[in-house]
Amino acid sequence: MGKIIAIANQKGGVGKTTTAFNLGACLAADGKKVLLVDADPQANATSGLGVNPDDAELSIYECLVDGADAHAAVVPTCIDGLGLICSRIDLVGAEVELMNRRDREKALSKVLEPLKDDYDFILIDCSPSLGVITVNALSAADSVIIPVQAEYFALEGISQLLNTIRIIKSRLRPSLEIEGFLLTMYDARLRLANQIFEELKGHFGDMVFTTVIPRNIKLSESPSHGLPVILYDPESRGSIAYSQLGKELIARNRRKKA
């Protein structure tokens, strides 16, 4: 049975989407069967994999609101072994349409449950908010990866997210755990970046990934070409970092199972 991992932080611009589709691509390149669920109305993970959201017959919106079959919503991507359930701007409306439903926080869990046996990993790219869709993603997930930007205000807001995770654990998803904190946009030359990494390690210990994601122009360029960085420039520092992250994630989960 596959593991569902939400990639979440209500702070924008911390590398959630970049992590979602590049980690998914690297896991697939390592031989894992992976599904990426774009749960952000901006649909950047969808376009970053070269998929036009308007061309897809079904999106996550139809699955959540209309009860469309999630298997039928999966589209192939440029990486073998990586499937995608895309997003569209109309996902904004799902927040309102789900609001008055019973068990509204469990809608995404019901969508993804039939898919768990088909994949090793299901990654959910969350929007930069703690709204109904993000709560749905956390309620459906087995664990959460929290990207943290290596900048001054990086640790601001983490306590709010951790509090949300605690509430979801107590009321909706007791098995939810933190997969790890991931430092992104890291520049080893800056003392501040190293201080933030040490502060994260001091607070959260082994929950911090050893792999850090560097500032890298290839990571910024690749989505405009509709390619994950592993295809756009496999030798770049960004590509190497996400490949290492994929291997670290696989190794962590292998140890947990053992």
Side-chain angles (χ1 to χ4, degrees):
M1 183 174 282
K3 185 171 193 178
I4 300 178
I5 303 176
I7 299 170
N9 190 331
Q10 78 275 18
K11 196 173 187 298
V14 298
K16 283 189 301 296
T17 298
T18 300
T19 295
F21 71 80
N22 282 303
L23 175 59
C26 289
L27 288 169
D30 244 344
K32 300 299 180 185
K33 199 139 190 290
V34 185
L35 175 66
L36 175 60
V37 179
D38 190 348
D40 184 347
Q42 295 176 81
N44 290 333
T46 298
S47 57
L49 285 170
V51 176
N52 184 341
D54 295 329
D55 291 343
E57 282 186 35
L58 296 173
S59 71
I60 192 64
Y61 172 85
E62 284 81 15
C63 296
L64 285 170
V65 175
D66 301 330
D69 178 17
H71 289 95
V74 178
V75 296
T77 67
C78 50
I79 292 266
D80 285 343
L82 175 62
L84 170 71
I85 296 181
C86 72
S87 179
R88 282 198 283 260
I89 191 64
D90 56 6
L91 185 60
V92 172
E95 297 259 348
V96 178
E97 295 185 58
L98 290 173
M99 192 62 72
N100 294 321
R101 292 193 186 180
R102 286 184 62 197
D103 291 337
R104 62 179 178 270
E105 297 91 354
K106 291 288 188 180
L108 186 56
S109 185
K110 289 174 184 172
V111 168
L112 297 182
E113 194 61 37
L115 298 172
K116 285 188 81 170
D117 288 337
D118 299 340
Y119 297 95
D120 298 304
F121 292 98
I122 297 175
L123 305 180
I124 309 172
D125 181 31
C126 299
S127 64
S129 74
L130 291 177
V132 172
I133 303 299
T134 299
V135 169
N136 259 270
L138 294 171
S139 300
D142 299 302
S143 66
V144 54
I145 290 175
I146 303 172
V148 180
Q149 190 176 357
E151 291 193 355
Y152 181 68
F153 293 113
L155 302 179
E156 273 197 3
I158 285 184
S159 59
Q160 189 182 352
L161 177 61
L162 293 179
N163 190 48
T164 301
I165 290 170
R166 275 194 293 271
I167 292 168
I168 287 169
K169 271 180 72 75
S170 65
R171 298 181 186 174
L172 296 166
R173 184 72 165 171
S175 60
L176 178 65
E177 52 186 38
I178 294 172
E179 189 71 44
F181 293 85
L182 174 68
L183 197 65
T184 61
M185 304 179 198
Y186 178 77
D187 187 340
R189 298 168 300 176
L190 300 178
R191 184 186 301 172
L192 178 63
N194 291 299
Q195 284 175 345
I196 289 168
F197 188 46
E198 291 307 315
E199 201 168 333
L200 267 182
K201 292 285 282 185
H203 271 94
F204 302 110
D206 291 341
M207 285 195 288
V208 181
F209 284 103
T210 304
T211 305
V212 297
I213 307 301
R215 283 196 178 276
N216 180 240
I217 190 65
K218 300 300 180 182
L219 286 174
S220 304
E221 290 175 353
S222 67
S224 64
H225 296 268
L227 294 170
V229 72
I230 196 173
L231 289 184
Y232 180 66
D233 189 344
E235 303 301 317
S236 68
R237 287 166 61 239
S239 177
I240 291 165
Y242 275 112
S243 295
Q244 287 174 342
L245 178 63
K247 287 176 170 53
E248 186 176 352
L249 181 65
I250 291 167
R252 278 185 176 212
N253 282 279
R254 193 178 292 132
R255 284 197 300 271
K256 283 178 185 175
K257 284 179 181 174

